[in-house]
Amino acid sequence: VEVIIAAQELSIKLVVIDDKLARDFADAMLLKTIGIIGILVIAKKLGKIDEIKKHLDKLINNGYWISKTLYLDVIKRGR
């Protein structure tokens, strides 16, 4: 919530949020959202990282939850 309030106060239109409820709230406040997976996809497209899978695996190994469907879709798109 603090990120959303700060974004509005600073007239920032894009916020980095992974939590589903917070993303829904940000959307309701007319803010665009991106999560860590979206950042990884952009980093791959820009050539900043060589592959997405190893970063997703590291996130998962550190307690980040991602559905199997999304995991496979992101890896497929990231090739």
Side-chain angles (χ1 to χ4, degrees):
V1 175
E2 293 87 6
V3 169
I4 296 166
I5 293 168
Q8 286 188 314
E9 289 176 358
L10 298 170
S11 298
I12 296 170
K13 298 295 180 196
L14 177 66
V15 291
V16 178
I17 302 175
D18 278 318
D19 181 78
K20 174 71 171 121
L21 289 175
R23 287 179 83 136
D24 290 344
F25 181 60
D27 290 340
M29 302 303 287
L30 304 177
L31 296 170
K32 293 183 183 206
T33 60
I34 189 169
I36 188 66
I37 294 171
I39 291 172
L40 288 174
V41 170
I42 291 170
K44 173 69 170 119
K45 286 181 183 177
L46 294 176
K48 302 295 182 183
I49 60 174
D50 57 343
E51 66 173 286
I52 294 176
K53 184 181 183 307
K54 70 179 178 184
H55 297 286
L56 289 177
D57 291 343
K58 186 178 268 189
L59 286 168
I60 291 167
N61 289 335
N62 284 288
Y64 185 90
W65 185 86
I66 178 173
S67 72
K68 184 170 185 149
T69 303
L70 181 58
Y71 176 86
L72 294 173
D73 182 53
V74 170
I75 291 171
K76 183 179 173 183
R77 285 189 299 149
R79 291 186 178 175

